[in-house]
Amino acid sequence: MILESLTNESIHEIFEYLSMDHLLNAFYNLNVRFNTLIYDHIRDHNGLFQSISKSLFNTICIEYLPMNIHRIVSLHLSNNDDSPQQIECFFNNGFHLREFIQLRSLTLQHIHNENTMRRIIFELCYLPLLTELNLYQYYFRNHPKYQLKFVNSIWSLPKLVRLNLNIVPEYKCYFPVPTVISSSIKYLSVTGVYYESNQIDRLFQTTPRLRSLRIEMTCTTSNEHFSIVLPSLKRLNIMFHSAQQSTIENLLRNLPNLNALKIEMLNFCLNGHDWKRIITKYLLKLKRFEFKVDDNFSNDNMIDKKINQLLQTFQTQFWIDIHRWFVQCDLFEKEHYSLYTLPYAFKDFSQLPCFSKSTCSDDFNHSHTYDYVCNLSNLLTFPSYTINFHFHFQNLHQLSIKCPIDQSIWSCISNLDHLYSLRIYWYDGRKSYRSQLQTILNRAPNLNSLSLLNSPSAISQMISFQYRSISIRQLDLQPLGDWYNKQDCQTLSRSSLGIQCQTLCIRVENRACIFDLVHTMTNLRSLNVRCRDDTWNEHMTPDNDELIHWLKTYLPSTCTITRDSYLQSRNLRLWIR
């Protein structure tokens, strides 16, 4: 069959299976029809610059974007390790956000440069059609005046409906409430920073049309009063870092039309009787209720009795018969426990318990209880009790695990088909560990990223890199605690994982190793590297950064080289090809 004989609908279906990199390399400029189909595909998707090489990025900026800037309705730029400085390179190519007159959705990731963010905020006001703004991993300096200007600029966007902010603050801080009112924002998510309880009324006042809200919150007083009723809010996802029962109750009583509530509480717990009273009194339209508590029991001699007493409050007719809301209590060492609704409704699961008990009947089907979990972390111990309980993780995207790997773990993790990132702790390269690691690689056909953590002796054992995985494209070897010399780098570049590696994080003995890695790892697109002979300190400016000047002299001119500005890091970031 000739490809051109296919209908446009069939070709669009083929495009769905291709990355933007493969799509443009394979079909762009074949003929007018294919270019039009590509334009339509890009218009309806958010991935023009996602996961592409630097050479393709330059091609798009030079050949494609100038002619089609008026067609773009969605733009995604990222400064992550795959494409460091992509956002700055985008602007350096002469583009301005204000030129994208049809832009409806803008996503920006890993912004650590304050000047870049100032430029973006300045240009947002020139995007009159923007309805969705996503800022992920945005480094937020703690300058109150700048912070307020930042939020006011966003709340002033006339048609903005969806706003997602994932903040990396200079230190954990409170997030300012705007002083301007947005009549358009309906879906708001702010994570990584807190709102104080005394800010909530002002947030509701300045965002009166909220339908969905996700925030983190701390309580400033023991009995916070909220005066603003928000009838438009239907969904609330909230984490309390500190709370009082009265504060939670006073907040929820002002949300009469809430139909979905997800709540996470640290160091504080409400029992089933407390929740029943709040729900039946204030949340009459609630249909979906999910919660998680992390707290500690005060007396280890009475833990069994306390667990039973706590669970009994969730075994009434209200919980079991009317709503069929079931609850489980997991006990860990040193009196720490988690209490949560089933199925488990949170993406992160941090530790397997030594004991669990739930309000479910014996015939309850647990096979999909933990399907929402994407990240299983801190799996450093594997309690024998867990083997006989109903922990099954079938949809993991990230897994952190300690060597040696207890083989009993596979009774809980039966499926690694979706695993994207694997982090290995205390790997020292011994033969049994190598076999275990290869077993995981064999079971994870879509694994993209491999990291080795807290493994100081691994470098002498790991340099052969005789592992097989056709999917791995990212290697993070920085946390090994040692420095790779010239021979180590040569061994890495010749290994199967090194040959296919596109993104590498590593520590090297000297700058010559950087030169060798760039020239011998032919598929390497980006490099995050720390160099032992680097003389940089936090008082230096870019103009007198000796190592960067050296690298720019001896590496190809197409290579973008910057020092990671996040928290004055000594790491260098290279976008190579």
Side-chain angles (χ1 to χ4, degrees):
M1 177 181 290
I2 300 175
L3 183 63
E4 291 186 333
S5 67
L6 296 176
T7 64
N8 290 349
E9 291 76 14
S10 297
I11 294 176
H12 274 301
E13 288 183 16
I14 294 174
F15 286 177
E16 292 292 337
Y17 291 93
L18 300 176
S19 67
M20 193 60 60
D21 199 335
H22 291 148
L23 174 63
L24 293 174
N25 276 325
F27 297 105
Y28 185 59
N29 269 346
L30 285 182
N31 55 45
V32 174
R33 181 192 176 206
F34 272 98
N35 280 0
T36 302
L37 292 173
I38 290 173
Y39 300 154
D40 293 340
H41 179 82
I42 292 175
R43 181 195 62 205
D44 298 331
H45 290 73
N46 195 25
L48 178 60
F49 290 117
Q50 283 185 271
S51 301
I52 64 172
S53 64
K54 190 170 190 295
S55 59
L56 183 57
F57 172 85
N58 291 334
T59 299
I60 293 174
C61 288
I62 295 171
E63 298 182 11
Y64 171 80
L65 209 51
M67 296 183 296
N68 296 281
I69 199 167
H70 63 287
R71 301 174 184 265
I72 304 298
V73 297
S74 180
L75 188 62
H76 186 140
L77 295 165
S78 175
N79 282 348
N80 63 14
D81 282 338
D82 289 337
S83 53
Q85 293 296 108
Q86 185 186 76
I87 299 174
E88 287 74 19
C89 288
F90 173 82
F91 288 128
N92 290 339
N93 272 279
F95 295 109
H96 299 273
L97 290 178
R98 69 186 73 176
E99 297 174 303
F100 294 79
I101 57 176
Q102 295 296 324
L103 198 64
R104 266 78 165 176
S105 175
L106 175 63
T107 300
L108 302 170
Q109 291 182 289
H110 296 269
I111 307 175
H112 295 167
N113 187 298
E114 192 170 343
N115 291 330
T116 299
M117 195 64 228
R118 289 180 187 275
R119 175 173 182 172
I120 292 168
I121 293 300
F122 173 76
E123 293 203 36
L124 284 178
C125 64
Y126 297 99
L127 300 174
L129 301 181
L130 192 69
T131 60
E132 179 177 359
L133 177 62
N134 306 301
L135 300 178
Y136 299 123
Q137 291 290 301
Y138 164 48
Y139 177 50
F140 201 60
R141 292 192 181 276
N142 292 325
H143 300 319
K145 289 184 179 179
Y146 168 71
Q147 292 175 347
L148 184 59
K149 183 178 180 181
F150 167 79
V151 296
N152 279 343
S153 298
I154 294 177
W155 256 253
S156 299
L157 295 172
K159 293 190 176 182
L160 189 66
V161 176
R162 296 180 180 273
L163 174 60
N164 295 296
L165 301 176
N166 174 236
I167 307 295
V168 181
E170 195 169 9
Y171 50 84
K172 199 70 173 180
C173 66
Y174 299 116
F175 195 66
V177 173
T179 57
V180 298
I181 296 175
S182 170
S183 59
S184 60
I185 295 177
K186 296 180 180 180
Y187 305 91
L188 174 63
S189 173
V190 181
T191 58
V193 286
Y194 305 137
Y195 281 105
E196 291 182 296
S197 55
N198 60 13
Q199 295 177 293
I200 298 303
D201 272 347
R202 284 182 290 143
L203 178 65
F204 287 175
Q205 285 177 325
T206 56
T207 328
R209 298 189 64 190
L210 275 179
R211 294 179 59 86
S212 176
L213 175 64
R214 181 184 181 187
I215 57 172
E216 301 177 35
M217 179 174 157
T218 61
C219 297
T220 50
T221 65
S222 59
N223 190 15
E224 189 72 50
H225 179 70
F226 303 97
S227 60
I228 303 299
V229 177
L230 195 64
S232 63
L233 194 65
K234 307 293 185 182
R235 302 177 64 87
L236 176 63
N237 184 340
I238 187 167
M239 172 186 281
F240 284 98
H241 291 269
S242 63
Q244 299 278 342
Q245 179 175 335
S246 58
T247 302
I248 296 174
E249 186 169 340
N250 289 338
L251 173 65
L252 295 178
R253 71 192 301 171
N254 288 342
L255 308 174
N257 293 319
L258 208 63
N259 58 41
L261 173 61
K262 179 184 285 191
I263 185 167
E264 196 168 354
M265 296 181 290
L266 304 179
N267 305 314
F268 179 76
C269 181
L270 295 179
N271 65 36
H273 299 323
D274 297 326
W275 276 119
K276 176 188 174 183
R277 184 177 56 79
I278 293 172
I279 293 170
T280 56
K281 191 173 182 180
Y282 305 119
L283 303 178
L284 301 181
K285 296 185 179 181
L286 192 67
K287 301 297 182 184
R288 183 167 186 156
F289 179 46
E290 299 159 329
F291 75 79
K292 180 185 176 185
V293 172
D294 282 300
D295 200 1
N296 293 285
F297 289 118
S298 58
N299 188 341
D300 59 349
N301 295 324
M302 305 289 289
I303 286 181
D304 288 345
K305 182 178 180 180
K306 289 184 176 182
I307 290 176
N308 289 330
Q309 290 175 341
L310 180 58
L311 290 179
Q312 283 174 4
T313 66
F314 292 96
Q315 291 177 306
T316 64
Q317 184 181 21
F318 172 85
W319 292 94
I320 304 299
D321 299 325
I322 298 177
H323 291 286
R324 295 194 61 78
W325 289 338
F326 302 103
V327 173
Q328 180 165 309
C329 183
D330 291 347
L331 180 65
F332 307 95
E333 296 180 356
K334 298 182 179 179
E335 301 87 43
H336 176 67
Y337 72 93
S338 287
L339 181 75
Y340 51 84
T341 48
L342 296 175
Y344 187 85
F346 301 84
K347 291 185 177 182
D348 297 324
F349 197 94
S350 60
Q351 187 178 358
L352 292 172
C354 59
F355 176 77
S356 292
K357 189 173 183 178
S358 77
T359 62
C360 300
S361 61
D362 293 337
D363 60 351
F364 184 84
N365 184 0
H366 289 272
S367 59
H368 298 287
T369 297
Y370 297 96
D371 280 4
Y372 196 72
V373 176
C374 296
N375 179 23
L376 185 57
S377 60
N378 296 328
L379 201 57
L380 307 184
T381 59
F382 193 81
S384 58
Y385 166 80
T386 309
I387 300 171
N388 299 316
F389 209 70
H390 308 288
F391 291 93
H392 302 289
F393 303 98
Q394 305 179 84
N395 194 34
L396 294 180
H397 294 182
Q398 301 178 63
L399 174 62
S400 301
I401 195 168
K402 175 188 175 182
C403 287
I405 301 170
D406 189 324
Q407 294 305 301
S408 301
I409 191 177
W410 305 122
S411 64
C412 294
I413 306 174
S414 58
N415 185 354
L416 294 178
D417 288 350
H418 304 287
L419 191 66
Y420 184 88
S421 174
L422 175 64
R423 298 159 67 89
I424 301 290
Y425 289 83
W426 297 113
Y427 179 88
D428 69 2
R430 68 183 68 176
K431 185 176 181 180
S432 59
Y433 291 8
R434 294 199 301 269
S435 175
Q436 290 181 338
L437 176 54
Q438 185 61 61
T439 298
I440 297 179
L441 300 185
N442 293 341
R443 297 183 59 174
N446 296 302
L447 184 65
N448 181 270
S449 174
L450 173 63
S451 302
L452 301 178
L453 306 168
N454 299 335
S455 309
S457 62
I459 195 166
S460 61
Q461 304 290 334
M462 194 66 185
I463 56 175
S464 61
F465 289 96
Q466 297 304 314
Y467 297 93
R468 302 291 176 184
S469 171
I470 60 173
S471 61
I472 290 178
R473 295 295 180 268
Q474 298 181 13
L475 289 176
D476 186 358
L477 308 176
Q478 281 192 354
L480 289 179
D482 239 327
W483 303 86
Y484 278 64
N485 59 32
K486 183 179 181 68
Q487 182 178 352
D488 298 331
C489 292
Q490 290 175 346
T491 304
L492 170 61
S493 65
R494 295 168 185 160
S495 68
S496 59
L497 292 186
I499 290 172
Q500 66 194 41
C501 180
Q502 295 180 354
T503 301
L504 176 64
C505 299
I506 194 170
R507 294 154 57 102
V508 298
E509 283 283 355
N510 53 58
R511 62 196 66 191
C513 295
I514 300 176
F515 180 90
D516 291 343
L517 289 171
V518 169
H519 286 89
T520 59
M521 296 182 68
T522 55
N523 288 310
L524 191 65
R525 294 182 177 181
S526 58
L527 178 64
N528 187 321
V529 60
R530 186 167 180 175
C531 188
R532 197 171 191 175
D533 69 352
D534 187 1
T535 59
W536 179 86
N537 63 64
E538 61 272 16
H539 302 296
M540 289 184 177
T541 65
D543 291 335
N544 59 13
D545 194 324
E546 181 268 338
L547 180 54
I548 287 185
H549 284 302
W550 187 92
L551 292 172
K552 287 183 175 180
T553 300
Y554 291 100
L555 293 182
S557 59
T558 54
C559 182
T560 302
I561 307 167
T562 57
R563 192 175 293 277
D564 193 347
S565 59
Y566 178 49
L567 295 181
Q568 298 180 328
S569 168
R570 297 183 67 87
N571 284 25
L572 296 170
R573 306 179 79 211
L574 285 70
W575 198 12
I576 304 165
R577 56 177 70 88

mmCIF file of all heavy atoms in Angstrom, residues 185-210:
data_model
loop_
_atom_site.group_PDB
_atom_site.id
_atom_site.type_symbol
_atom_site.label_atom_id
_atom_site.label_comp_id
_atom_site.label_asym_id
_atom_site.label_seq_id
_atom_site.Cartn_x
_atom_site.Cartn_y
_atom_site.Cartn_z
ATOM 1 N N ILE A 185 -10.963 32.488 36.034
ATOM 2 C CA ILE A 185 -10.314 31.262 36.521
ATOM 3 C C ILE A 185 -11.333 30.359 37.204
ATOM 4 O O ILE A 185 -11.989 30.755 38.177
ATOM 5 C CB ILE A 185 -9.160 31.593 37.489
ATOM 6 C CG1 ILE A 185 -8.039 32.334 36.765
ATOM 7 C CG2 ILE A 185 -8.605 30.304 38.106
ATOM 8 C CD1 ILE A 185 -6.893 32.761 37.672
ATOM 9 N N LYS A 186 -11.437 29.122 36.706
ATOM 10 C CA LYS A 186 -12.356 28.141 37.276
ATOM 11 C C LYS A 186 -11.633 26.929 37.854
ATOM 12 O O LYS A 186 -12.167 26.265 38.752
ATOM 13 C CB LYS A 186 -13.342 27.657 36.209
ATOM 14 C CG LYS A 186 -14.269 28.744 35.675
ATOM 15 C CD LYS A 186 -15.212 28.167 34.630
ATOM 16 C CE LYS A 186 -16.144 29.242 34.081
ATOM 17 N NZ LYS A 186 -17.069 28.686 33.049
ATOM 18 N N TYR A 187 -10.439 26.653 37.342
ATOM 19 C CA TYR A 187 -9.696 25.471 37.771
ATOM 20 C C TYR A 187 -8.305 25.925 38.210
ATOM 21 O O TYR A 187 -7.511 26.393 37.399
ATOM 22 C CB TYR A 187 -9.604 24.449 36.633
ATOM 23 C CG TYR A 187 -10.960 24.064 36.080
ATOM 24 C CD1 TYR A 187 -11.517 24.778 35.007
ATOM 25 C CD2 TYR A 187 -11.691 23.028 36.639
ATOM 26 C CE1 TYR A 187 -12.766 24.449 34.509
ATOM 27 C CE2 TYR A 187 -12.942 22.688 36.141
ATOM 28 C CZ TYR A 187 -13.476 23.403 35.080
ATOM 29 O OH TYR A 187 -14.715 23.072 34.600
ATOM 30 N N LEU A 188 -8.022 25.782 39.500
ATOM 31 C CA LEU A 188 -6.777 26.307 40.066
ATOM 32 C C LEU A 188 -6.065 25.220 40.856
ATOM 33 O O LEU A 188 -6.658 24.556 41.704
ATOM 34 C CB LEU A 188 -7.078 27.490 40.991
ATOM 35 C CG LEU A 188 -5.896 28.060 41.787
ATOM 36 C CD1 LEU A 188 -4.833 28.626 40.853
ATOM 37 C CD2 LEU A 188 -6.372 29.128 42.768
ATOM 38 N N SER A 189 -4.765 25.049 40.565
ATOM 39 C CA SER A 189 -3.919 24.122 41.319
ATOM 40 C C SER A 189 -2.616 24.829 41.648
ATOM 41 O O SER A 189 -1.927 25.310 40.749
ATOM 42 C CB SER A 189 -3.634 22.854 40.496
ATOM 43 O OG SER A 189 -2.695 22.023 41.152
ATOM 44 N N VAL A 190 -2.286 24.895 42.941
ATOM 45 C CA VAL A 190 -1.034 25.505 43.401
ATOM 46 C C VAL A 190 -0.376 24.528 44.369
ATOM 47 O O VAL A 190 -0.910 24.252 45.440
ATOM 48 C CB VAL A 190 -1.273 26.849 44.109
ATOM 49 C CG1 VAL A 190 0.066 27.454 44.537
ATOM 50 C CG2 VAL A 190 -2.030 27.825 43.204
ATOM 51 N N THR A 191 0.789 23.985 43.998
ATOM 52 C CA THR A 191 1.485 23.009 44.837
ATOM 53 C C THR A 191 2.931 23.450 45.046
ATOM 54 O O THR A 191 3.493 24.188 44.254
ATOM 55 C CB THR A 191 1.460 21.607 44.203
ATOM 56 O OG1 THR A 191 2.061 21.664 42.887
ATOM 57 C CG2 THR A 191 0.043 21.092 44.068
ATOM 58 N N GLY A 192 3.512 22.966 46.141
ATOM 59 C CA GLY A 192 4.902 23.284 46.457
ATOM 60 C C GLY A 192 5.047 24.419 47.449
ATOM 61 O O GLY A 192 6.114 24.603 48.033
ATOM 62 N N VAL A 193 3.984 25.197 47.640
ATOM 63 C CA VAL A 193 3.966 26.299 48.594
ATOM 64 C C VAL A 193 2.655 26.239 49.382
ATOM 65 O O VAL A 193 1.715 25.553 48.995
ATOM 66 C CB VAL A 193 4.090 27.667 47.886
ATOM 67 C CG1 VAL A 193 5.497 27.908 47.386
ATOM 68 C CG2 VAL A 193 3.092 27.758 46.730
ATOM 69 N N TYR A 194 2.623 26.972 50.495
ATOM 70 C CA TYR A 194 1.449 26.974 51.359
ATOM 71 C C TYR A 194 0.587 28.204 51.129
ATOM 72 O O TYR A 194 1.075 29.267 50.773
ATOM 73 C CB TYR A 194 1.851 27.035 52.848
ATOM 74 C CG TYR A 194 2.792 25.989 53.342
ATOM 75 C CD1 TYR A 194 3.846 26.342 54.184
ATOM 76 C CD2 TYR A 194 2.627 24.653 53.014
ATOM 77 C CE1 TYR A 194 4.719 25.395 54.685
ATOM 78 C CE2 TYR A 194 3.492 23.695 53.503
ATOM 79 C CZ TYR A 194 4.543 24.068 54.338
ATOM 80 O OH TYR A 194 5.404 23.126 54.825
ATOM 81 N N TYR A 195 -0.689 28.047 51.402
ATOM 82 C CA TYR A 195 -1.544 29.173 51.752
ATOM 83 C C TYR A 195 -1.767 29.119 53.258
ATOM 84 O O TYR A 195 -2.000 28.040 53.825
ATOM 85 C CB TYR A 195 -2.896 29.098 51.049
ATOM 86 C CG TYR A 195 -2.876 29.534 49.606
ATOM 87 C CD1 TYR A 195 -2.945 28.595 48.578
ATOM 88 C CD2 TYR A 195 -2.799 30.878 49.263
ATOM 89 C CE1 TYR A 195 -2.931 28.990 47.252
ATOM 90 C CE2 TYR A 195 -2.783 31.282 47.936
ATOM 91 C CZ TYR A 195 -2.851 30.328 46.935
ATOM 92 O OH TYR A 195 -2.827 30.721 45.626
ATOM 93 N N GLU A 196 -1.687 30.269 53.912
ATOM 94 C CA GLU A 196 -2.081 30.334 55.307
ATOM 95 C C GLU A 196 -3.601 30.355 55.395
ATOM 96 O O GLU A 196 -4.289 30.831 54.479
ATOM 97 C CB GLU A 196 -1.515 31.592 55.963
ATOM 98 C CG GLU A 196 -0.009 31.575 56.134
ATOM 99 C CD GLU A 196 0.483 32.835 56.830
ATOM 100 O OE1 GLU A 196 0.329 33.933 56.259
ATOM 101 O OE2 GLU A 196 1.019 32.701 57.945
ATOM 102 N N SER A 197 -4.120 29.845 56.502
ATOM 103 C CA SER A 197 -5.576 29.789 56.635
ATOM 104 C C SER A 197 -6.208 31.168 56.569
ATOM 105 O O SER A 197 -7.332 31.323 56.060
ATOM 106 C CB SER A 197 -5.953 29.087 57.940
ATOM 107 O OG SER A 197 -5.331 29.724 59.052
ATOM 108 N N ASN A 198 -5.495 32.194 57.026
ATOM 109 C CA ASN A 198 -6.073 33.538 56.983
ATOM 110 C C ASN A 198 -6.024 34.164 55.589
ATOM 111 O O ASN A 198 -6.457 35.309 55.399
ATOM 112 C CB ASN A 198 -5.396 34.467 58.005
ATOM 113 C CG ASN A 198 -3.900 34.624 57.751
ATOM 114 O OD1 ASN A 198 -3.394 34.251 56.694
ATOM 115 N ND2 ASN A 198 -3.196 35.175 58.718
ATOM 116 N N GLN A 199 -5.493 33.437 54.595
ATOM 117 C CA GLN A 199 -5.497 33.917 53.211
ATOM 118 C C GLN A 199 -6.672 33.378 52.407
ATOM 119 O O GLN A 199 -6.931 33.855 51.297
ATOM 120 C CB GLN A 199 -4.204 33.512 52.496
ATOM 121 C CG GLN A 199 -2.932 34.125 53.027
ATOM 122 C CD GLN A 199 -1.714 33.598 52.278
ATOM 123 O OE1 GLN A 199 -1.369 32.419 52.373
ATOM 124 N NE2 GLN A 199 -1.070 34.483 51.528
ATOM 125 N N ILE A 200 -7.369 32.382 52.923
ATOM 126 C CA ILE A 200 -8.369 31.670 52.131
ATOM 127 C C ILE A 200 -9.534 32.568 51.737
ATOM 128 O O ILE A 200 -10.020 32.523 50.599
ATOM 129 C CB ILE A 200 -8.860 30.428 52.893
ATOM 130 C CG1 ILE A 200 -7.700 29.460 53.129
ATOM 131 C CG2 ILE A 200 -9.983 29.735 52.119
ATOM 132 C CD1 ILE A 200 -6.991 29.002 51.864
ATOM 133 N N ASP A 201 -10.015 33.396 52.648
ATOM 134 C CA ASP A 201 -11.101 34.303 52.295
ATOM 135 C C ASP A 201 -10.717 35.207 51.130
ATOM 136 O O ASP A 201 -11.504 35.428 50.205
ATOM 137 C CB ASP A 201 -11.484 35.164 53.508
ATOM 138 C CG ASP A 201 -12.527 34.491 54.391
ATOM 139 O OD1 ASP A 201 -13.120 33.496 53.942
ATOM 140 O OD2 ASP A 201 -12.732 34.953 55.523
ATOM 141 N N ARG A 202 -9.504 35.736 51.175
ATOM 142 C CA ARG A 202 -9.049 36.622 50.089
ATOM 143 C C ARG A 202 -8.884 35.854 48.780
ATOM 144 O O ARG A 202 -9.141 36.388 47.698
ATOM 145 C CB ARG A 202 -7.741 37.300 50.484
ATOM 146 C CG ARG A 202 -7.942 38.440 51.492
ATOM 147 C CD ARG A 202 -6.633 39.132 51.823
ATOM 148 N NE ARG A 202 -5.764 38.268 52.616
ATOM 149 C CZ ARG A 202 -4.455 38.218 52.497
ATOM 150 N NH1 ARG A 202 -3.843 38.949 51.588
ATOM 151 N NH2 ARG A 202 -3.739 37.432 53.275
ATOM 152 N N LEU A 203 -8.445 34.591 48.871
ATOM 153 C CA LEU A 203 -8.346 33.772 47.658
ATOM 154 C C LEU A 203 -9.725 33.561 47.048
ATOM 155 O O LEU A 203 -9.897 33.663 45.820
ATOM 156 C CB LEU A 203 -7.697 32.429 47.993
ATOM 157 C CG LEU A 203 -7.566 31.450 46.827
ATOM 158 C CD1 LEU A 203 -6.622 31.995 45.755
ATOM 159 C CD2 LEU A 203 -7.070 30.090 47.308
ATOM 160 N N PHE A 204 -10.711 33.273 47.874
ATOM 161 C CA PHE A 204 -12.068 33.092 47.372
ATOM 162 C C PHE A 204 -12.628 34.393 46.804
ATOM 163 O O PHE A 204 -13.363 34.388 45.812
ATOM 164 C CB PHE A 204 -12.976 32.587 48.489
ATOM 165 C CG PHE A 204 -12.734 31.139 48.869
ATOM 166 C CD1 PHE A 204 -13.406 30.569 49.935
ATOM 167 C CD2 PHE A 204 -11.843 30.353 48.148
ATOM 168 C CE1 PHE A 204 -13.200 29.242 50.282
ATOM 169 C CE2 PHE A 204 -11.620 29.026 48.488
ATOM 170 C CZ PHE A 204 -12.302 28.465 49.566
ATOM 171 N N GLN A 205 -12.287 35.515 47.418
ATOM 172 C CA GLN A 205 -12.760 36.809 46.930
ATOM 173 C C GLN A 205 -12.178 37.149 45.566
ATOM 174 O O GLN A 205 -12.869 37.694 44.697
ATOM 175 C CB GLN A 205 -12.394 37.918 47.924
ATOM 176 C CG GLN A 205 -13.242 37.948 49.180
ATOM 177 C CD GLN A 205 -12.769 39.015 50.146
ATOM 178 O OE1 GLN A 205 -11.567 39.287 50.263
ATOM 179 N NE2 GLN A 205 -13.700 39.615 50.867
ATOM 180 N N THR A 206 -10.924 36.831 45.360
ATOM 181 C CA THR A 206 -10.247 37.190 44.108
ATOM 182 C C THR A 206 -10.415 36.133 43.026
ATOM 183 O O THR A 206 -10.025 36.370 41.879
ATOM 184 C CB THR A 206 -8.746 37.433 44.347
ATOM 185 O OG1 THR A 206 -8.161 36.265 44.955
ATOM 186 C CG2 THR A 206 -8.536 38.630 45.257
ATOM 187 N N THR A 207 -10.980 34.981 43.379
ATOM 188 C CA THR A 207 -11.225 33.916 42.389
ATOM 189 C C THR A 207 -12.645 33.387 42.606
ATOM 190 O O THR A 207 -12.853 32.224 42.965
ATOM 191 C CB THR A 207 -10.199 32.784 42.539
ATOM 192 O OG1 THR A 207 -8.947 33.304 42.989
ATOM 193 C CG2 THR A 207 -9.963 32.067 41.223
ATOM 194 N N PRO A 208 -13.651 34.212 42.371
ATOM 195 C CA PRO A 208 -15.019 33.874 42.788
ATOM 196 C C PRO A 208 -15.707 32.810 41.947
ATOM 197 O O PRO A 208 -16.769 32.320 42.349
ATOM 198 C CB PRO A 208 -15.753 35.212 42.675
ATOM 199 C CG PRO A 208 -15.000 35.960 41.618
ATOM 200 C CD PRO A 208 -13.565 35.566 41.798
ATOM 201 N N ARG A 209 -15.137 32.448 40.790
ATOM 202 C CA ARG A 209 -15.809 31.470 39.922
ATOM 203 C C ARG A 209 -15.168 30.088 39.988
ATOM 204 O O ARG A 209 -15.391 29.248 39.128
ATOM 205 C CB ARG A 209 -15.801 31.983 38.474
ATOM 206 C CG ARG A 209 -16.552 33.313 38.283
ATOM 207 C CD ARG A 209 -16.699 33.645 36.823
ATOM 208 N NE ARG A 209 -17.529 32.660 36.133
ATOM 209 C CZ ARG A 209 -17.667 32.599 34.800
ATOM 210 N NH1 ARG A 209 -16.991 33.455 34.032
ATOM 211 N NH2 ARG A 209 -18.425 31.681 34.242
ATOM 212 N N LEU A 210 -14.388 29.836 41.015
ATOM 213 C CA LEU A 210 -13.703 28.551 41.148
ATOM 214 C C LEU A 210 -14.679 27.382 41.141
ATOM 215 O O LEU A 210 -15.664 27.370 41.879
ATOM 216 C CB LEU A 210 -12.890 28.513 42.443
ATOM 217 C CG LEU A 210 -11.474 29.098 42.416
ATOM 218 C CD1 LEU A 210 -10.853 28.987 43.798
ATOM 219 C CD2 LEU A 210 -10.607 28.390 41.389
#
